[in-house]
Amino acid sequence: MTLQISNMTRRFGPVDVLRGIDLTIGEGELIALLGPSGSGKTTLLKIIAGLDWPDAGGLSVQGEDWLPKTAQERRTGFVFQHYALFPHLKVRDNIAFGLTVMPRAQRPGKAQIAARVEELLHFLQIPALADRYPAELSGGQRQRVALGRALAISPPVLLLDEPFGALDAQVRRDLRRWLRGVHDATGTTTIFVTHDQEEAFELADRVVVMGAGRIEQTGRPDEIYDHPATPFVARFLGLTVEIPVTLRQGRAEAPGLDTSALPRRAMADGPATLFLRPADITPIPDPASPFRLTALTTTGATHRLVMEGPADCRPEAEVARRSAAALTVGQTLRLRPEAGQIFPGGPGAQTLPAAADNPRFKESTP
Amino acid sequence: MTTLPLPAWGVRPKRVLPGFGLTMGVTLAFLGIVVLLPTVALVLKGAEIGPARFWAIATAPRTFAALKLTLLAATMATIFNALYGLLMAWVLVRYDFPGRRLLDALVDIPFALPTAVAGLTLSALFSANGWYGAVLEPMGLPVVFTIWGVAIAMSFTSIPFVIRTVQPVLEDLDPQYEQAARTLGAGPFTCFVRVVLPAILPALVVGTTLSLARCLGEFGAIVFIAGNLPMKTEIASLLAVIRLEEYDYNGAAVIALVLLLIALALLAVSGLLQALATRHRGRAP
């Protein structure tokens, strides 16, 4: 189903949670709403489900206005972060719930419901769990049941709030692939919320990056990764090193910086900021450079370098263990970025949305 | 009845929390002296009577009528309490309105009020010239000196049990369960019956049992409004007092024992219902 959100705003007391969201989602797409906590992504998802209401704006599905409809009428089968499985019902009855509460006239027969549940249990690879209660399941199993419960009603759009947020790393990776498989098999338009860029990029057809109630960028994962549209997106995607530069003929220049590996940009001359990933920086010993190595720590396979440069600039770099063998704290280094993004304006010109103080912020799961 | 705080045999197991011996000893001593010993004494007293005489006393018309009235009125009061108490807890938890805290405080009044005061107040209100009685009696609905009066007095003093046990559970109920149910297509009523009610059922069972037990034992509030007509509006606990005043210790003991048996049966049924309602709380893997 196609889904259209136009100019949607939502405010909780003094806080603008959504400030004008425009988004169109196509039939069968798998969309990730990616952003730090407080960016409004879960609110947007709840509005689509009918669990919250916008102050202004429109929401339509297949051209039909959804805002006057209740959550009950929309039947999206919202999947909560902590699953919200009904504790007093067995797995089989949890999955059947949405079918058994249908109005009598449309409700399938008992045998039909049982058959549908059986089919889903096999499809989700959990037939052995059918007669257990949610309290007897692991987190990953609960997530599968929660998805089964939502899929049972064949929702027009499947909504998942931080679907893997409460799981450990290994289960997370397995379930991610599994969810992608489920989506490809059912073709249900799916929107999920996450603060984990790896998750969003691996799973989604299209990623919507949100910050402080606005959409910062929408695009395919590789597009966003290679071409972050705003400093906010750049920071959120791990381009955490910011070096003030001067643009001259499309090339960034700064003392101690070797930008020969970066392509020229069609941008006006003037002050700008170069955004880099720590792993994309190669440090080269150079006595003339203003960047002095102040700390050298190891995380196993890589070394982490902290340097001090002019104007309070403290770039960090990550290099492979063997190439850091010759480095000693106190020596000066020239920085050679292999990739990076340039945004016009000097330091401080890239005003940050309020919620994005720490771009690598990980939402804590309660 | 002696209670030893610690086992005198074998090795003393090491415990993480200190003070087990002392606290357990005090607990057992108190339970033994205040709860168990009197109960055992009562049972022994009843055993002296012998089953044939016991049966004869318990089924004597006046005793039987008193027990029947007590049970019937208590059941009526408890059914009302379960429904109205649930409604009241729902209103107090789910809606925010001016005066909610005042209403919440009002719930405790039946607990705080001496039952005799409650009885006097109720009989004044429901008597033929009282505020309520003046309306009800002309309609042919006399309350004072009828089983209705008994049930009303019982309900008044025991309804907080239902409200106060259901309220915290309802407060802790995560709204996500209901939200999930709504997005799966359930209407508000279905949602309540199939999601909320199962979650609060154990608490409701406990509250209702406590309320019923209190109804069976209520004395002070009832004797004022019931009129205490033998065979008609005389409750069991009052009859036990009358027997005692007549130095008929056996008669008093029989009535007391029957009430005790009913209370124990209630506890057993309540435990069973609770186990049924919480059977889904299995072990985590």
Short mmCIF file of all heavy atoms in Angstrom, two decimals, chain A residues 79-85 126 129 132-147 162-168 171-172 175 178, chain B residues 284-285:
data_model
loop_
_atom_site.label_atom_id
_atom_site.label_comp_id
_atom_site.label_asym_id
_atom_site.label_seq_id
_atom_site.Cartn_x
_atom_site.Cartn_y
_atom_site.Cartn_z
N VAL A 79 4.02 -3.44 16.18
CA VAL A 79 4.93 -4.31 16.94
C VAL A 79 5.78 -3.45 17.88
O VAL A 79 6.56 -2.62 17.44
CB VAL A 79 5.86 -5.11 16.00
CG1 VAL A 79 6.82 -5.97 16.81
CG2 VAL A 79 5.03 -5.98 15.06
N PHE A 80 5.56 -3.65 19.18
CA PHE A 80 6.24 -2.82 20.17
C PHE A 80 7.66 -3.32 20.43
O PHE A 80 7.98 -4.49 20.23
CB PHE A 80 5.46 -2.84 21.49
CG PHE A 80 4.20 -2.04 21.44
CD1 PHE A 80 3.02 -2.62 21.02
CD2 PHE A 80 4.19 -0.70 21.80
CE1 PHE A 80 1.85 -1.89 20.96
CE2 PHE A 80 3.03 0.04 21.75
CZ PHE A 80 1.86 -0.55 21.33
N GLN A 81 8.48 -2.39 20.94
CA GLN A 81 9.88 -2.74 21.23
C GLN A 81 9.95 -3.91 22.22
O GLN A 81 10.78 -4.78 22.07
CB GLN A 81 10.59 -1.52 21.81
CG GLN A 81 12.04 -1.82 22.12
CD GLN A 81 12.77 -0.60 22.63
OE1 GLN A 81 12.19 0.46 22.82
NE2 GLN A 81 14.06 -0.74 22.83
N HIS A 82 9.08 -3.87 23.23
CA HIS A 82 9.09 -4.98 24.19
C HIS A 82 7.95 -5.95 23.91
O HIS A 82 7.46 -6.62 24.81
CB HIS A 82 9.07 -4.43 25.60
CG HIS A 82 10.31 -3.63 25.90
ND1 HIS A 82 11.49 -4.22 26.21
CD2 HIS A 82 10.55 -2.31 25.85
CE1 HIS A 82 12.42 -3.29 26.36
NE2 HIS A 82 11.87 -2.13 26.14
N TYR A 83 7.51 -5.97 22.68
CA TYR A 83 6.61 -6.98 22.10
C TYR A 83 5.17 -6.88 22.57
O TYR A 83 4.26 -7.12 21.79
CB TYR A 83 7.14 -8.40 22.32
CG TYR A 83 8.64 -8.48 22.32
CD1 TYR A 83 9.36 -8.93 23.40
CD2 TYR A 83 9.36 -8.02 21.20
CE1 TYR A 83 10.75 -8.94 23.38
CE2 TYR A 83 10.74 -8.03 21.17
CZ TYR A 83 11.43 -8.49 22.27
OH TYR A 83 12.79 -8.48 22.26
N ALA A 84 4.93 -6.59 23.87
CA ALA A 84 3.57 -6.48 24.39
C ALA A 84 2.72 -7.70 24.03
O ALA A 84 1.56 -7.59 23.67
CB ALA A 84 2.88 -5.19 23.90
N LEU A 85 3.31 -8.88 24.13
CA LEU A 85 2.52 -10.10 23.93
C LEU A 85 1.58 -10.25 25.11
O LEU A 85 1.93 -9.92 26.24
CB LEU A 85 3.44 -11.32 23.85
CG LEU A 85 4.39 -11.36 22.65
CD1 LEU A 85 5.33 -12.55 22.76
CD2 LEU A 85 3.60 -11.43 21.36
N ILE A 126 8.62 -21.16 14.12
CA ILE A 126 8.44 -21.34 15.56
C ILE A 126 7.33 -22.34 15.88
O ILE A 126 6.64 -22.17 16.89
CB ILE A 126 8.12 -19.99 16.26
CG1 ILE A 126 7.05 -19.21 15.48
CG2 ILE A 126 9.37 -19.15 16.43
CD1 ILE A 126 6.55 -17.97 16.18
N LEU A 129 6.87 -23.67 19.46
CA LEU A 129 6.53 -22.78 20.58
C LEU A 129 5.03 -22.59 20.75
O LEU A 129 4.59 -21.88 21.66
CB LEU A 129 7.17 -21.40 20.37
CG LEU A 129 8.68 -21.38 20.11
CD1 LEU A 129 9.14 -19.94 19.91
CD2 LEU A 129 9.43 -22.01 21.27
N ARG A 132 3.34 -22.58 24.22
CA ARG A 132 4.00 -21.95 25.36
C ARG A 132 3.36 -20.60 25.65
O ARG A 132 2.73 -20.00 24.81
CB ARG A 132 5.48 -21.73 25.04
CG ARG A 132 6.21 -23.03 24.87
CD ARG A 132 7.58 -22.92 25.49
NE ARG A 132 8.48 -23.84 24.84
CZ ARG A 132 9.78 -23.58 24.68
NH1 ARG A 132 10.27 -22.43 25.08
NH2 ARG A 132 10.56 -24.47 24.12
N TYR A 133 3.60 -20.12 26.88
CA TYR A 133 3.19 -18.77 27.24
C TYR A 133 4.37 -17.82 27.00
O TYR A 133 5.53 -18.25 27.04
CB TYR A 133 2.77 -18.73 28.70
CG TYR A 133 1.44 -19.39 28.96
CD1 TYR A 133 1.36 -20.63 29.54
CD2 TYR A 133 0.27 -18.74 28.58
CE1 TYR A 133 0.13 -21.24 29.76
CE2 TYR A 133 -0.96 -19.34 28.80
CZ TYR A 133 -1.03 -20.59 29.39
OH TYR A 133 -2.24 -21.17 29.59
N PRO A 134 4.08 -16.53 26.75
CA PRO A 134 5.17 -15.59 26.47
C PRO A 134 6.27 -15.60 27.54
O PRO A 134 7.45 -15.43 27.21
CB PRO A 134 4.45 -14.24 26.43
CG PRO A 134 3.09 -14.56 25.96
CD PRO A 134 2.76 -15.91 26.56
N ALA A 135 5.89 -15.80 28.81
CA ALA A 135 6.90 -15.79 29.87
C ALA A 135 7.92 -16.91 29.69
O ALA A 135 9.00 -16.86 30.28
CB ALA A 135 6.23 -15.91 31.23
N GLU A 136 7.58 -17.90 28.89
CA GLU A 136 8.48 -19.04 28.71
C GLU A 136 9.35 -18.91 27.46
O GLU A 136 9.98 -19.88 27.04
CB GLU A 136 7.66 -20.34 28.63
CG GLU A 136 6.83 -20.57 29.87
CD GLU A 136 5.75 -21.63 29.68
OE1 GLU A 136 5.24 -21.78 28.55
OE2 GLU A 136 5.42 -22.29 30.67
N LEU A 137 9.36 -17.73 26.85
CA LEU A 137 10.10 -17.55 25.60
C LEU A 137 11.30 -16.62 25.81
O LEU A 137 11.30 -15.78 26.70
CB LEU A 137 9.20 -16.92 24.53
CG LEU A 137 7.91 -17.64 24.19
CD1 LEU A 137 7.16 -16.83 23.14
CD2 LEU A 137 8.18 -19.03 23.69
N SER A 138 12.31 -16.76 24.95
CA SER A 138 13.44 -15.83 24.97
C SER A 138 13.04 -14.58 24.18
O SER A 138 12.03 -14.55 23.50
CB SER A 138 14.65 -16.49 24.33
OG SER A 138 14.44 -16.62 22.95
N GLY A 139 13.87 -13.55 24.29
CA GLY A 139 13.57 -12.29 23.60
C GLY A 139 13.39 -12.46 22.11
O GLY A 139 12.44 -11.94 21.52
N GLY A 140 14.28 -13.21 21.49
CA GLY A 140 14.19 -13.40 20.04
C GLY A 140 12.94 -14.15 19.65
O GLY A 140 12.29 -13.83 18.65
N GLN A 141 12.57 -15.12 20.48
CA GLN A 141 11.34 -15.89 20.20
C GLN A 141 10.12 -15.00 20.35
O GLN A 141 9.18 -15.06 19.55
CB GLN A 141 11.25 -17.08 21.15
CG GLN A 141 12.31 -18.13 20.87
CD GLN A 141 12.39 -19.19 21.95
OE1 GLN A 141 12.05 -18.94 23.11
NE2 GLN A 141 12.85 -20.37 21.59
N ARG A 142 10.14 -14.14 21.37
CA ARG A 142 9.00 -13.23 21.57
C ARG A 142 8.85 -12.31 20.37
O ARG A 142 7.73 -12.02 19.94
CB ARG A 142 9.21 -12.40 22.83
CG ARG A 142 9.02 -13.18 24.07
CD ARG A 142 9.22 -12.32 25.29
NE ARG A 142 9.57 -13.20 26.41
CZ ARG A 142 9.86 -12.79 27.62
NH1 ARG A 142 9.84 -11.51 27.89
NH2 ARG A 142 10.15 -13.64 28.56
N GLN A 143 9.98 -11.84 19.85
CA GLN A 143 9.93 -10.94 18.71
C GLN A 143 9.29 -11.64 17.51
O GLN A 143 8.48 -11.06 16.80
CB GLN A 143 11.34 -10.46 18.37
CG GLN A 143 11.40 -9.47 17.24
CD GLN A 143 10.52 -8.27 17.48
OE1 GLN A 143 9.35 -8.27 17.11
NE2 GLN A 143 11.05 -7.25 18.11
N ARG A 144 9.62 -12.90 17.32
CA ARG A 144 9.02 -13.65 16.21
C ARG A 144 7.52 -13.80 16.41
O ARG A 144 6.74 -13.65 15.47
CB ARG A 144 9.65 -15.04 16.10
CG ARG A 144 11.06 -15.00 15.55
CD ARG A 144 11.73 -16.35 15.69
NE ARG A 144 13.16 -16.23 15.43
CZ ARG A 144 13.78 -16.79 14.38
NH1 ARG A 144 13.11 -17.51 13.53
NH2 ARG A 144 15.07 -16.62 14.21
N VAL A 145 7.11 -14.09 17.64
CA VAL A 145 5.68 -14.23 17.92
C VAL A 145 4.96 -12.90 17.70
O VAL A 145 3.88 -12.85 17.11
CB VAL A 145 5.45 -14.73 19.36
CG1 VAL A 145 3.96 -14.81 19.67
CG2 VAL A 145 6.10 -16.09 19.56
N ALA A 146 5.61 -11.80 18.17
CA ALA A 146 5.00 -10.48 18.01
C ALA A 146 4.78 -10.18 16.53
O ALA A 146 3.74 -9.65 16.13
CB ALA A 146 5.87 -9.42 18.65
N LEU A 147 5.75 -10.53 15.71
CA LEU A 147 5.61 -10.29 14.29
C LEU A 147 4.52 -11.18 13.70
O LEU A 147 3.73 -10.74 12.86
CB LEU A 147 6.95 -10.55 13.60
CG LEU A 147 7.05 -10.00 12.19
CD1 LEU A 147 6.91 -8.49 12.22
CD2 LEU A 147 8.36 -10.39 11.56
N GLU A 162 11.58 -0.08 17.07
CA GLU A 162 12.85 -0.63 17.58
C GLU A 162 12.75 -2.15 17.69
O GLU A 162 12.91 -2.72 18.78
CB GLU A 162 13.16 -0.05 18.97
CG GLU A 162 13.34 1.44 19.01
CD GLU A 162 14.78 1.86 18.74
OE1 GLU A 162 15.62 0.99 18.42
OE2 GLU A 162 15.06 3.06 18.81
N PRO A 163 12.52 -2.84 16.59
CA PRO A 163 12.19 -4.26 16.70
C PRO A 163 13.29 -5.10 17.31
O PRO A 163 13.03 -6.15 17.88
CB PRO A 163 11.94 -4.69 15.25
CG PRO A 163 12.58 -3.65 14.42
CD PRO A 163 12.53 -2.38 15.19
N PHE A 164 14.54 -4.64 17.24
CA PHE A 164 15.62 -5.48 17.77
C PHE A 164 16.31 -4.82 18.95
O PHE A 164 17.36 -5.26 19.39
CB PHE A 164 16.64 -5.77 16.66
CG PHE A 164 16.00 -6.19 15.38
CD1 PHE A 164 16.06 -5.41 14.25
CD2 PHE A 164 15.27 -7.38 15.34
CE1 PHE A 164 15.45 -5.79 13.08
CE2 PHE A 164 14.65 -7.77 14.17
CZ PHE A 164 14.73 -6.98 13.04
N GLY A 165 15.70 -3.76 19.44
CA GLY A 165 16.35 -2.94 20.46
C GLY A 165 16.65 -3.69 21.75
O GLY A 165 17.61 -3.38 22.44
N ALA A 166 15.81 -4.67 22.10
CA ALA A 166 15.98 -5.32 23.40
C ALA A 166 16.71 -6.66 23.29
O ALA A 166 16.67 -7.45 24.20
CB ALA A 166 14.61 -5.52 24.04
N LEU A 167 17.37 -6.89 22.15
CA LEU A 167 17.99 -8.20 21.95
C LEU A 167 19.52 -8.09 21.95
O LEU A 167 20.07 -7.03 21.68
CB LEU A 167 17.53 -8.78 20.60
CG LEU A 167 16.03 -8.93 20.46
CD1 LEU A 167 15.66 -9.28 19.03
CD2 LEU A 167 15.52 -10.00 21.41
N ASP A 168 20.19 -9.20 22.21
CA ASP A 168 21.65 -9.12 22.18
C ASP A 168 22.15 -9.22 20.74
O ASP A 168 21.42 -9.56 19.81
CB ASP A 168 22.28 -10.17 23.09
CG ASP A 168 21.86 -11.57 22.71
OD1 ASP A 168 22.07 -11.94 21.55
OD2 ASP A 168 21.31 -12.27 23.58
N VAL A 171 21.56 -12.38 18.27
CA VAL A 171 20.15 -12.58 17.94
C VAL A 171 19.67 -11.47 17.00
O VAL A 171 18.91 -11.70 16.06
CB VAL A 171 19.31 -12.59 19.23
CG1 VAL A 171 17.85 -12.81 18.92
CG2 VAL A 171 19.81 -13.67 20.17
N ARG A 172 20.13 -10.26 17.28
CA ARG A 172 19.81 -9.10 16.46
C ARG A 172 20.17 -9.33 15.00
O ARG A 172 19.37 -9.10 14.11
CB ARG A 172 20.71 -7.99 16.98
CG ARG A 172 20.18 -6.65 17.05
CD ARG A 172 21.29 -5.85 17.70
NE ARG A 172 20.79 -5.29 18.92
CZ ARG A 172 20.53 -4.00 19.03
NH1 ARG A 172 20.81 -3.17 18.07
NH2 ARG A 172 20.00 -3.54 20.12
N LEU A 175 17.96 -12.10 13.47
CA LEU A 175 16.58 -11.67 13.26
C LEU A 175 16.47 -10.65 12.14
O LEU A 175 15.47 -10.60 11.44
CB LEU A 175 16.01 -11.07 14.55
CG LEU A 175 15.33 -12.06 15.48
CD1 LEU A 175 14.70 -11.34 16.64
CD2 LEU A 175 14.29 -12.89 14.76
N TRP A 178 16.33 -12.50 9.03
CA TRP A 178 15.05 -13.21 9.04
C TRP A 178 13.92 -12.25 8.67
O TRP A 178 13.05 -12.56 7.87
CB TRP A 178 14.87 -13.81 10.43
CG TRP A 178 13.55 -14.42 10.70
CD1 TRP A 178 13.14 -15.67 10.37
CD2 TRP A 178 12.47 -13.82 11.42
NE1 TRP A 178 11.87 -15.87 10.82
CE2 TRP A 178 11.44 -14.77 11.47
CE3 TRP A 178 12.28 -12.57 12.01
CZ2 TRP A 178 10.23 -14.50 12.10
CZ3 TRP A 178 11.09 -12.31 12.63
CH2 TRP A 178 10.08 -13.27 12.67
N ALA B 284 10.84 -18.71 32.97
CA ALA B 284 11.56 -18.21 31.80
C ALA B 284 12.56 -19.28 31.36
O ALA B 284 13.02 -20.05 32.18
CB ALA B 284 12.27 -16.92 32.15
N PRO B 285 12.86 -19.34 30.07
CA PRO B 285 13.77 -20.39 29.60
C PRO B 285 15.20 -20.13 30.08
O PRO B 285 15.59 -19.01 30.31
CB PRO B 285 13.70 -20.25 28.09
CG PRO B 285 13.25 -18.87 27.83
CD PRO B 285 12.41 -18.46 29.00
#
